[in-house]
């Protein structure tokens, strides 16, 4: 069974940095597009950044120039480097895999359990 586990969240001061990690486990041949999403209290989940299997990235406007998404395909990990943090970045951050290739075929739309990021102003 494919599982995604986030880590690296916590408390940071405004202007500080945090690095999130997402580790995929299970019988996995490869992972296609992946992304980070976040959900603040009382708000809908929103896209933060995406990355394809060959490293092409896209960012939501609020995080452009401050966040960097990356991945290590061999380790089946994805990362989110968050710099110049703002109070409005406070949210639960989720890791997503759009599709995963396993011995049994494709597994679609896998999510991690989320990791809390709190930025104090």
């Amino acid at each position: 069974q494919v599982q995604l586990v986030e880590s690296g969240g916590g408390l940071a001061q405004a202007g500080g940095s945090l690095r999130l990690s997402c580790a995929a486990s299970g019988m996995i041949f490869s992972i296609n597009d992946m992304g980070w999403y976040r959900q603040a209290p009382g708000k809908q989940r929103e896209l933060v950044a995406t990355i394809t299997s060959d490293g092409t990235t896209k960012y939501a406007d609020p995080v452009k120039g401050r966040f960097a998404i990356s991945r290590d395909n061999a380790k089946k990990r994805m990362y989110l480097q968050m710099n110049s943090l703002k109070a409005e970045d406070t949210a639960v951050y989720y890791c997503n895999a759009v599709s995963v290739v396993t011995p049994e075929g494709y597994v679609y739309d896998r999510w991690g359990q989320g990791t809390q990021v709190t930025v104090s102003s």
Side-chain angles (χ1 to χ4, degrees), residues 36-56:
W36 287 98
Y37 291 73
R38 66 186 182 185
Q39 187 167 17
K43 295 188 177 181
Q44 290 188 331
R45 191 172 298 188
E46 63 178 6
L47 174 69
V48 175
T50 61
I51 185 167
T52 65
S53 56
D54 64 0
T56 301

Side-chain angles (χ1 to χ4, degrees), residues 23-94:
S25 63
M27 292 297 291
I28 297 172
F29 287 153
S30 62
I31 306 173
N32 295 320
D33 293 2
M34 300 185 74
W36 287 98
Y37 291 73
R38 66 186 182 185
Q39 187 167 17
K43 295 188 177 181
Q44 290 188 331
R45 191 172 298 188
E46 63 178 6
L47 174 69
V48 175
T50 61
I51 185 167
T52 65
S53 56
D54 64 0
T56 301
T57 60
K58 290 185 180 179
Y59 296 91
D61 285 344
V63 307
K64 281 182 181 177
R66 300 189 297 121
F67 290 10
I69 188 172
S70 61
R71 62 191 288 174
D72 184 329
N73 291 332
K75 294 183 178 179
K76 299 182 180 61
R77 284 182 175 265
M78 179 177 65
Y79 306 97
L80 185 68
Q81 179 66 44
M82 305 186 294
N83 299 324
S84 302
L85 284 163
K86 304 176 180 179
E88 50 264 44
D89 295 321
T90 295
V92 178
Y93 284 71
Y94 297 91

